[in-house]
Amino acid sequence: RSIEDQVRRGADLTRQLLGFARGGRYEVKPLSLNEVIRQCSVTFGRAKKELTIQRRLKQGLWAVEADRGQIEKVLMTLFVNAWQAMPGGGDLIIETRNTEMGEDHSLPYQVSPGRYVRVSVSDTGMGMDEQTQQRVFDPFFTTKAMGRGTGLGLATVYGIVKGHGGFIQVESTPGKGTTFAFFLPASGRRRRTDREAPAARGTAGAKKTVLVVDDEPANMEVTKEILEILNYNV
């Protein structure tokens, strides 16, 4: 059971890292974000009675093509972060709207211009300073005490949103709260890039070098052997 638990934890960590690296595989279908937000926020609100949840969901919101499970993960991560920023309770405000991105606006985010759906999650919590905002999406960066956070939550959110062809913004003022807003392409719009098919077994690592770092010698040796079988130079 201990081995199985370790394997599950390792697999979950790998999925989070793949999400950040935009290498995850998504089951993309037309999706109503308003419906997903209603369900997730109601479920979350039942467990967090100290929060007042406000939903400002636009009627006639454009559909998006997305993996529902991944979008639910994005929402729940943002909800939990907002809750943690308001230890004494407060307001959690979720808003959706349609927006058009022109060439000038889309260029800084490396996305194509066109129609997007904007989802914002705002809190009335402690907020963040400018330095924290600049690092908030970095993998393993966390403001939590040791052992209370992995620093992968927002990095995973960033990867999922980018993997769906969108982008994410953060605005915050210390003492006044934080707003995370992510944008996803509206359905019917051509994606910027298609995902590459997985490499065939045995040729994946051709001419590629991998650095393996682990504090457990057994893990190191097994990982090294597996990667060498896959033709990586370790």
Side-chain angles (χ1 to χ4, degrees):
R1 279 196 291 270
S2 177
I3 291 170
E4 289 173 351
D5 288 343
Q6 291 294 329
V7 170
R8 289 192 192 98
R9 289 170 60 187
D12 186 58
L13 177 61
T14 301
R15 277 192 294 270
Q16 288 184 294
L17 290 170
L18 284 172
F20 175 77
R22 302 171 63 187
R25 295 293 180 262
Y26 303 130
E27 185 180 349
V28 176
K29 297 179 180 178
L31 193 66
S32 167
L33 288 178
N34 281 351
E35 177 191 346
V36 179
I37 289 168
R38 284 192 191 96
Q39 292 183 0
C40 285
S41 60
V42 168
T43 301
F44 186 76
R46 288 185 183 131
K48 311 298 180 188
K49 301 293 187 182
E50 66 274 27
L51 300 182
T52 300
I53 298 179
Q54 302 179 35
R55 287 176 284 267
R56 303 170 183 174
L57 309 181
K58 178 176 176 57
Q59 296 296 318
L61 192 71
W62 295 327
V64 300
E65 294 183 14
D67 182 307
R68 184 187 183 103
Q70 295 295 318
I71 299 304
E72 288 176 347
K73 185 178 183 68
V74 167
L75 291 169
M76 294 304 284
T77 299
L78 295 179
F79 293 168
V80 168
N81 273 27
W83 166 68
Q84 291 175 336
M86 300 182 289
D91 295 333
L92 176 62
I93 304 159
I94 311 153
E95 186 174 3
T96 61
R97 61 180 171 88
N98 300 323
T99 185
E100 294 271 358
M101 296 291 294
E103 189 75 42
D104 293 341
H105 293 95
S106 63
L107 189 60
Y109 301 102
Q110 298 181 329
V111 296
S112 301
R115 302 192 310 164
Y116 285 80
V117 175
R118 180 185 186 272
V119 179
S120 64
V121 178
S122 304
D123 64 64
T124 55
M126 60 187 70
M128 297 180 286
D129 58 28
E130 185 65 30
Q131 186 177 7
T132 301
Q133 291 179 58
Q134 291 176 359
R135 297 194 60 194
V136 74
F137 297 115
D138 290 354
F140 305 112
F141 174 75
T142 179
T143 58
K144 300 181 180 68
M146 183 69 71
R148 297 195 61 191
T150 63
L152 280 173
L154 288 175
T156 301
V157 165
Y158 178 91
I160 291 171
V161 172
K162 291 287 286 185
H164 281 80
F167 62 96
I168 186 167
Q169 300 172 329
V170 58
E171 295 180 3
S172 186
T173 302
K176 295 186 177 180
T178 300
T179 296
F180 285 95
F182 64 90
F183 297 71
L184 296 179
S187 184
R189 175 186 168 282
R190 185 178 63 84
R191 297 291 294 276
R192 184 181 180 86
T193 57
D194 293 323
R195 296 191 182 280
E196 295 180 359
R201 181 179 178 83
T203 63
K207 298 182 180 178
K208 296 178 182 177
T209 299
V210 175
L211 172 65
V212 177
V213 181
D214 202 298
D215 59 357
E216 292 287 345
N219 291 350
M220 182 95 72
E221 188 60 31
V222 171
T223 304
K224 177 176 180 292
E225 290 183 13
I226 291 173
L227 289 170
E228 287 176 342
I229 290 171
L230 294 172
N231 206 21
Y232 286 93
N233 177 42
V234 181

